[in-house]
Amino acid sequence: MAVPPGLPVVIIGGLHADARRAAVAQLLAEVPGSVVLHHDLATAAAGTVVRTVRDATGVLDAGEAPLANDCACCALREDLVPELERLADAGRTTLAVVELWDSVEPKAMAEVITAGGLTVTGVITAVDPALVLPYLGNGDDLADGGLAAAATDQRTVADTFARQLEYAPVLAIAESPEADDEDRELLAQLHPTARQVPISSAGRADAPEPGDRLRPDGSPAPHTSFPPGGGSAPDAGLSPELGGFPLGDGPAPDTGFPHAGGGSSPGPGHATGPGSAPHPADDGLTVPPPRRRPLPPLARAALAGFDVEAAAAAQHPACALLPAEADAHGVSTLVWHRCRPFHPERLYAALEDLTCAAARSRGRFWLADKPDTLFHWDAAGGALCVESVGPWLASLPDAAWEMVPPVRRAAAALDWHAEHGDRCQHLVFTSPGLDRDGLERLLESCLLTDAEYAAGRDAWQRLPHAFDALLEV
């Protein structure tokens, strides 16, 4: 695994606060030399955001960041990168763990950190499986629970939790005696591509011994002792080739392996590689062969690497990686795909029933009266968000296609229809006890009839514009 040079940054978030704290505690135990940066937005009503930096032993530093534009999240954005740069410049941190406050969504923070020139090596959402359905069904405003990040924050618990869950490629799964097979199946169907990493409720882990230097493949680099009073090492991060990870206190010495700052030759008393024979040091002693200790799963996930652009594309309605058909342990996922537009008035009349039919539904859809516009469907907690996200590719002139990201063109090609191009209905509904047959009948009834379809586009655009009020057109 190749890891870019510089201070690795992992983001851990989620509304399940106990699970999030357990994940952070476990990562601190697994990676000595790591620190946690946390901005507490609960104090925003008093006009400030409280920032703390801590390691496994306790708080190292604390301060306040003033609100920006009466927005706690804005203060977080402005303060986060400078604090991470300070940690990187100090040269004593092996891994920076950004623990997000409850309702902060990881997508925005990952993009802020990357834009600031730092390297996000992992994004993890911590989850208690027993709480997935209750949170997806919670349509309360964040403000009602003291979780709003700004005075204008109109998000709900359900839609915020859904985005936190679906954006992260890794889910830290807390021990949960209350969770059953249905809870775990719901989680698996909501985010089938996620890597799930179990964590203990107390965040316990078998910490590597001080001085161990781990590579991402789970093997330590040659063991060395730190010279007393040694200076800082700007290259003490992960090696691009071997991912050498310094653990323990103090700077990382020259181990004979290439570092972020370039190659180095073996020094006296150092083995030249994991399989090499030991050779004598200047004092006549022999360096023992390197010990091997597996890199724990959570630490491995934190360092696995993260592509901000690919993560954004995976959530964009036009090319989102939506769940597939599934049915197990009382939980079902219905994938509904059609190449005929919706009648706007009939669909609008069915919105409440469709929204409440599943714990979670999302996708893209096509309205007959607005044939060139791609619409996003995003429902959780009994609430639906519908928005325009731009044109279907089929409505663009050929010259404009070169300006479209390749991932969008690839997604359009998968749905391409000889007559309609990428225009389609692609909606996914996931829920325990899903009435698949009833839901399909309701969806089918909202499509244009054969006669309406045969009337053609000019007639479609004269249909009632039922969604204008919802879209604030």
Side-chain angles (χ1 to χ4, degrees):
M1 177 181 68
V3 181
L7 175 65
V9 180
V10 59
I11 297 171
I12 298 184
L15 276 164
H16 298 173
D18 289 342
R20 187 185 71 240
R21 295 184 190 110
V24 169
Q26 183 161 320
L27 202 51
L28 284 177
E30 291 179 354
V31 187
S34 59
V35 300
V36 176
L37 175 60
H38 177 63
H39 289 78
D40 190 342
L41 275 57
T43 59
T48 59
V49 172
V50 176
R51 176 211 321 117
T52 57
V53 179
R54 70 184 192 278
D55 63 9
T57 66
V59 175
L60 303 175
D61 185 39
E64 293 184 346
L67 287 190
N69 304 318
D70 197 31
C71 170
C73 259
C74 298
L76 168 56
R77 289 188 184 95
E78 293 186 5
D79 193 66
L80 182 58
V81 170
E83 283 300 308
L84 289 171
E85 289 175 337
R86 183 179 64 82
L87 290 173
D89 291 342
R92 295 186 296 271
T93 301
T94 58
L95 175 66
V97 182
V98 174
E99 181 192 354
L100 301 181
W101 189 68
D102 300 48
S103 69
V104 177
E105 296 182 23
K107 180 177 184 292
M109 294 304 107
E111 291 172 353
V112 165
I113 293 170
T114 302
L118 295 158
T119 301
V120 177
T121 58
V123 174
I124 300 171
T125 294
V127 180
D128 181 339
L131 298 179
V132 172
L133 186 58
Y135 274 64
L136 273 184
N138 189 341
D140 293 346
D141 291 338
L142 291 173
D144 294 340
L147 297 172
T152 57
D153 194 344
Q154 297 182 339
R155 295 174 298 156
T156 68
V157 172
D159 63 46
T160 302
F161 174 68
R163 284 190 293 271
Q164 290 177 336
L165 180 72
E166 292 157 1
Y167 180 77
V170 177
L171 302 179
I173 310 299
E175 291 178 349
S176 183
E178 296 81 9
D180 56 21
D181 288 343
E182 181 180 282
D183 296 323
R184 295 184 180 89
E185 181 64 26
L186 176 60
L187 183 58
Q189 291 190 26
L190 287 168
H191 196 348
T193 63
R195 176 183 177 189
Q196 295 193 12
V197 180
I199 56 172
S200 71
S201 57
R204 296 183 300 274
D206 293 329
E209 296 177 9
D212 280 354
R213 185 178 179 88
L214 300 181
R215 301 189 187 102
D217 66 357
S219 64
H223 182 74
T224 57
S225 59
F226 297 134
S232 63
D235 59 355
L238 292 155
S239 157
E241 289 90 355
L242 298 174
F245 195 46
L247 299 179
D249 298 328
D254 183 357
T255 64
F257 287 96
H259 289 270
S264 61
S265 59
H270 291 277
T272 57
S276 64
H279 61 232
D282 290 342
D283 58 3
L285 299 177
T286 299
V287 176
R291 297 165 294 149
R292 293 192 174 273
R293 182 187 298 272
L295 191 66
L298 190 63
R300 186 185 295 272
L303 299 170
F306 184 76
D307 187 327
V308 171
E309 291 185 4
Q315 297 302 308
H316 191 281
C319 45
L321 297 176
L322 299 174
E325 284 273 347
D327 190 1
H329 300 294
V331 181
S332 295
T333 294
L334 170 68
V335 178
W336 191 75
H337 198 286
R338 297 292 185 274
C339 293
R340 180 174 292 200
F342 279 125
H343 187 289
E345 200 168 39
R346 289 199 296 273
L347 178 62
Y348 189 84
L351 286 182
E352 183 175 355
D353 290 339
L354 291 171
T355 300
C356 297
R360 176 70 170 140
S361 57
R362 54 191 178 121
R364 51 189 177 270
F365 68 100
W366 172 25
L367 288 175
D369 64 317
K370 303 181 190 301
D372 293 333
T373 303
L374 190 158
F375 289 100
H376 180 206
W377 178 287
D378 188 25
L384 170 67
C385 175
V386 170
E387 60 180 344
S388 164
V389 289
W392 296 101
L393 291 194
S395 68
L396 296 177
D398 292 345
W401 278 56
E402 294 183 2
M403 301 166 56
V404 176
V407 66
R408 173 75 189 277
R409 296 199 298 269
L414 293 175
D415 283 336
W416 200 261
H417 183 277
E419 183 180 355
H420 307 304
D422 58 328
R423 298 180 182 91
C424 68
Q425 318 295 356
H426 189 171
L427 299 175
V428 176
F429 298 79
T430 300
S431 188
L434 189 70
D435 179 6
R436 300 172 64 98
D437 293 340
L439 181 54
E440 286 196 84
R441 285 194 299 270
L442 181 57
L443 288 165
E444 297 286 350
S445 73
C446 297
L447 294 173
L448 294 185
T449 64
D450 289 346
E452 290 166 341
Y453 181 77
R457 283 180 52 134
D458 289 344
W460 302 350
Q461 294 182 76
R462 292 194 295 270
L463 293 171
H465 303 307
F467 278 75
D468 283 1
L470 186 63
L471 298 168
E472 297 181 353
V473 174

